[in-house]
């Protein structure tokens, strides 16, 4: 990779590979078949229902194999019935949910109130580090009890005005799913049965012909993974596949097949704020000022992405519209480093710049370009690219006591529409991916979670202001977009929902 500075901007010179295609017309994937092949950017490491908020899991099984009580209506920012038919709040800390009758799990077990109670208990079991618990339920005290076969009461320690939205993240699995251990064979109530998972090769789902609702058109789906965007794009172009996620901007060159959509992800670097020299706010500000975010737009990041000012996007309740993007000011960055060095801050200490392969299209190139920008103002930087399990070791608590100063590239998805699903997980002292331990911020995050309406928004706005102006704990980058390549035989328009799920029932044949 070669980077050049041009008129004060950093431009990435990308090398491109050309694949010869005999015809400009895509072939029909699995011709004369009601099956589809879907290309993912990476392979799942688990298929447990409690991991469905992770895109590599949720895009396969959420609302396909396992379903939720409540479904998010992204278009209207509201909630819809799914396995629950209705619900009501009976007191500030109690909700009653009425369940759909006549539904069975794929293993024959009945879907009832006891199954809901079991799923919540399994998900909240600390023996499992389920992302559903650590990202969504941590910080909340929730108990469920069966009133009768098809009625569940949820009791919370403090008011949770958005409990139905929270429960849209709880994937209901068979009561025969073991507690205390992960499963690789998800069993739900959805329109598709889990058929097989061949490690390193594919995952297969088959249509559930006894599904409680409408029968979908697709009878079988095969999920494969390709790390190279150009390869995934070519598979759809030649008809080897029907749909591919995470096509890089330089490969999205066919407007007929390539569809751009907001994916609810925000990319950023998380800073280890307790580790010198990043424990000095001047150094953290210098990092932000050293990065020319706008130079990435239209080069390695889509020009339709937005500069981020915080980790939640404009679609999320609690987004602070008053925050402004960091300017690119390398001279100011150098001045701040000089001031910190004069005060004895070890600004020459090597900083780990940690990425993860295929986090998003061109993520490795973004890390490399960022390293050059940081070195240009005087930072000493070492790049590391980690595979998923090692990256998670760095991202999640407990943090190593002797860790080095680290800038961790992350991409956080909040497609549930409320700041609660970001701020505790990322910034509360007890949050699993939080670097912070600020009592005033902790109290504000907890207070905001019990409020509603304008009071809730004002409290979350103040929390995000503290994080990004007073503490400067992160390097916000972009509110991202994705490109999806879709075979012309498939009638489908991607949306923000596809950041976390892809409902096969929404795919139609032309």
């Amino acid at each position: 990779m070669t980077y050049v500075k041009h008129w004060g901007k950093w431009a990435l010179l990308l090398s491109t590979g050309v694949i010869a295609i005999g015809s400009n017309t895509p072939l029909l994937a699995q011709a004369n078949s009601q099956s589809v092949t879907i290309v993912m950017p990476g392979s799942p490491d688990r298929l447990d229902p409690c991991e469905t908020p992770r895109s590599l899991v949720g895009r396969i099984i959420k609302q396909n194999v396992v379903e939720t009580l409540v479904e998010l209506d992204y278009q209207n920012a509201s909630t819809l019935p799914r396995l629950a038919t209705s619900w009501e709040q009976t007191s500030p800390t109690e909700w009653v949910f009425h369940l759909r009758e006549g539904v069975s799990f794929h293993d024959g077990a009945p879907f009832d109130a006891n199954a809901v109670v079991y799923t919540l208990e399994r998900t909240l079991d600390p023996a499992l580090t389920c992302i559903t618990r650590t990202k969504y339920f941590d910080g909340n005290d929730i108990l469920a009890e069966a009133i009768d076969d098809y009625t569940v009461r949820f009791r919370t320690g403090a008011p949770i005005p958005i409990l139905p939205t929270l429960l849209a993240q709880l994937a209901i699995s068979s009561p025969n799913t073991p507690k205390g251990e992960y499963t690789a064979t998800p069993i739900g109530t959805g329109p598709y049965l889990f058929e097989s998972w061949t490690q390193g090769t594919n995952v297969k789902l088959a249509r559930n012909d006894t599904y409680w609702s409408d029968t979908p058109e697709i009878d079988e789906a095969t999920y494969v993974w390709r790390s190279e965007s150009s390869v995934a794009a070519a598979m759809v172009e030649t008809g080897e596949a029907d749909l591919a996620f995470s096509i890089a901007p330089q490969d999205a060159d066919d407007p007929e097949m390539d569809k751009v959509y907001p994916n609810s992800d925000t990319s950023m670097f998380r800073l280890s704020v307790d580790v010198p020299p990043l424990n000095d706010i001047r150094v953290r500000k210098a990092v932000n000022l050293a990065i020319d975010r706008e130079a990435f737009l239209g080069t390695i990041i889509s020009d339709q992405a937005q500069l981020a000012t915080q980790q939640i996007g404009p679609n999320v309740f609690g987004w602070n519209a008053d925050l402004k993007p960091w300017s690119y000011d390398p001279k100011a960055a150098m001045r701040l480093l000089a001031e910190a060095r004069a005060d004895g801050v070890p600004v020459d200490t090597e900083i780990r710049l940690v990425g993860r392969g295929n986090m998003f299209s061109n993520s490795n190139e973004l890390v490399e370009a960022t390293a050059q920008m940081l070195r240009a103002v005087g930072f000493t930087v070492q790049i590391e690219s980690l595979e998923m399990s090692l990256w998670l070791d760095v991202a999640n608590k407990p943090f190593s006591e002797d860790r080095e100063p680290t800038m961790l590239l992350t991409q956080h998805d909040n497609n549930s529409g409320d700041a609660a699903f970001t701020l505790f997980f990322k910034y509360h002292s007890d949050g699993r991916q939080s670097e912070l331990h600020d009592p005033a911020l902790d109290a504000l995050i907890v207070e905001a979670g019990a409020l509603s309406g304008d009071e809730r928004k004002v409290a979350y706005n103040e929390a995000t202001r503290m994080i990004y102006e007073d503490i400067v704990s992160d390097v916000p980058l972009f509110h991202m977009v994705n490109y999806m390549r879709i075979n012309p035989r498939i009638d489908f328009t991607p949306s923000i929902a596809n950041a976390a799920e892809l409902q096969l029932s929404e795919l139609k044949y032309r």
Side-chain angles (χ1 to χ4, degrees):
M1 287 299 165
T2 304
Y3 299 90
V4 296
K5 194 174 184 181
H6 186 58
W7 296 311
K9 290 291 183 181
W10 294 80
L12 172 65
L13 303 180
L14 293 167
S15 59
T16 58
V18 178
I19 299 175
I21 304 297
S23 169
N24 290 328
T25 302
L27 304 176
L28 295 182
Q30 304 184 43
N32 301 318
S33 168
Q34 298 292 93
S35 301
V36 294
T37 297
I38 297 169
V39 187
M40 308 274 280
S43 61
D45 58 340
R46 294 190 184 116
L47 287 178
D48 195 291
C50 76
E51 297 280 34
T52 53
R54 295 171 54 194
S55 62
L56 291 177
V57 181
R59 285 171 173 168
I60 299 175
I61 66 172
K62 188 177 182 183
Q63 311 299 20
N64 291 327
V65 177
V66 291
E67 299 178 284
T68 52
L69 296 178
V70 178
E71 184 173 357
L72 294 177
D73 179 355
Y74 297 93
Q75 185 75 20
N76 299 303
S78 61
T79 52
L80 300 170
R82 186 88 182 203
L83 288 177
T85 57
S86 63
W87 50 87
E88 63 266 359
Q89 187 173 13
T90 55
S91 82
T93 57
E94 288 190 3
W95 292 74
V96 173
F97 280 69
H98 305 280
L99 308 183
R100 192 173 301 279
E101 300 185 23
V103 177
S104 296
F105 290 96
H106 301 153
D107 61 359
F111 166 71
D112 57 18
N114 289 327
V116 174
V117 173
Y118 183 89
T119 291
L120 182 65
E121 291 174 350
R122 180 180 185 273
T123 301
L124 300 186
D125 184 351
L128 299 178
T129 55
C130 297
I131 190 70
T132 301
R133 173 174 64 83
T134 59
K135 182 176 179 179
Y136 291 100
F137 284 83
D138 270 2
N140 295 307
D141 182 12
I142 303 178
L143 294 173
E145 63 173 328
I147 298 176
D148 58 38
D149 285 350
Y150 296 105
T151 311
V152 180
R153 178 185 290 116
F154 291 91
R155 288 194 172 98
T156 62
I160 305 180
I162 59 166
L163 185 69
T165 304
L166 176 61
L167 292 178
Q169 300 298 332
L170 183 69
I172 307 299
S173 56
S174 168
N176 296 316
T177 306
K179 287 184 177 179
E181 61 184 80
Y182 292 108
T183 182
T185 55
I187 301 170
T189 57
Y192 288 86
L193 308 167
F194 171 75
E195 190 172 85
S196 66
W197 178 13
T198 304
Q199 294 277 356
T201 303
N202 60 45
V203 173
K204 291 188 176 183
L205 306 183
R207 187 169 59 201
N208 173 18
D209 289 328
T210 62
Y211 182 53
W212 58 266
S213 189
D214 296 336
T215 301
E217 287 188 22
I218 306 300
D219 59 17
E220 185 178 78
T222 300
Y223 299 82
V224 298
W225 29 94
R226 300 292 185 270
S227 60
E228 292 294 331
S229 163
S230 59
V231 174
M235 289 176 68
V236 177
E237 185 172 1
T238 61
E240 185 181 349
D242 294 282
L243 184 152
F245 284 95
S246 300
I247 300 300
Q250 67 269 19
D251 298 320
D253 54 7
D254 188 331
E256 185 177 335
M257 289 191 291
D258 298 318
K259 309 301 179 185
V260 64
Y261 63 98
N263 67 1
S264 76
D265 284 323
T266 299
S267 59
M268 55 171 278
F269 287 103
R270 189 187 75 187
L271 305 178
S272 54
V273 299
D274 287 338
V275 185
L278 293 173
N279 63 339
D280 190 291
I281 193 170
R282 292 169 295 186
V283 176
R284 300 198 295 274
K285 288 181 177 180
V287 170
N288 275 283
L289 291 166
I291 298 174
D292 187 356
R293 294 159 176 83
E294 293 200 13
F296 292 121
L297 295 174
T299 54
I300 59 176
I301 299 294
S302 170
D303 59 5
Q304 297 191 52
Q306 300 177 40
L307 295 180
T309 60
Q310 57 210 280
Q311 194 156 182
I312 56 176
N315 63 301
V316 175
F317 185 86
W319 179 70
N320 190 333
D322 294 330
L323 298 177
K324 304 302 180 185
W326 282 88
S327 61
Y328 173 53
D329 193 339
K331 290 183 179 180
M334 288 187 278
R335 285 196 299 270
L336 287 170
L337 286 181
E339 290 175 14
R341 182 183 287 109
D343 289 341
V345 178
V347 297
D348 297 320
T349 302
E350 184 176 87
I351 295 174
R352 297 174 69 199
L353 190 58
V354 178
R356 192 185 81 219
N358 302 306
M359 178 179 293
F360 50 83
S361 296
N362 298 328
S363 61
N364 289 341
E365 289 81 357
L366 182 142
V367 170
E368 292 172 14
T370 298
Q372 287 206 11
M373 294 174 185
L374 293 173
R375 290 170 184 144
V377 301
F379 283 102
T380 303
V381 178
Q382 178 63 42
I383 295 174
E384 297 180 38
S385 182
L386 304 180
E387 55 89 13
M388 174 66 83
S389 63
L390 295 176
W391 182 90
L392 288 171
D393 288 342
V394 178
N396 293 329
K397 291 178 178 176
F399 301 138
S400 172
E401 292 184 2
D402 59 350
R403 63 181 174 149
E404 301 165 282
T406 301
M407 292 176 56
L408 178 72
L409 181 65
T410 73
Q411 182 169 251
H412 172 71
D413 159 50
N414 186 333
N415 67 356
S416 299
D418 193 276
F421 304 129
T422 296
L423 294 192
F424 188 94
F425 180 57
K426 291 289 188 178
Y427 299 109
H428 190 280
S429 295
D430 294 331
R432 193 171 182 225
Q433 291 189 358
S434 172
E435 291 275 0
L436 305 184
H437 35 78
D438 185 305
L441 180 62
D442 289 349
L444 185 56
I445 291 172
V446 172
E447 175 191 348
L451 299 174
S452 58
D454 288 343
E455 289 183 320
R456 184 183 185 90
K457 183 176 182 179
V458 168
Y460 279 137
N461 278 188
E462 175 59 13
T464 53
R465 190 206 63 76
M466 290 174 64
I467 292 164
Y468 290 98
E469 292 187 349
D470 297 347
I471 301 172
V472 191
S473 61
D474 303 320
V475 181
L477 296 173
F478 307 102
H479 299 309
M480 304 289 280
V481 297
N482 260 354
Y483 289 92
M484 181 184 292
R485 177 163 285 195
I486 304 170
N487 190 301
R489 78 167 184 149
I490 300 296
D491 183 9
F492 178 68
T493 301
S495 72
I496 195 170
N498 301 128
E501 63 185 55
L502 175 66
Q503 296 194 35
L504 294 171
S505 59
E506 295 179 355
L507 303 185
K508 310 295 182 185
Y509 292 104
R510 293 189 186 276

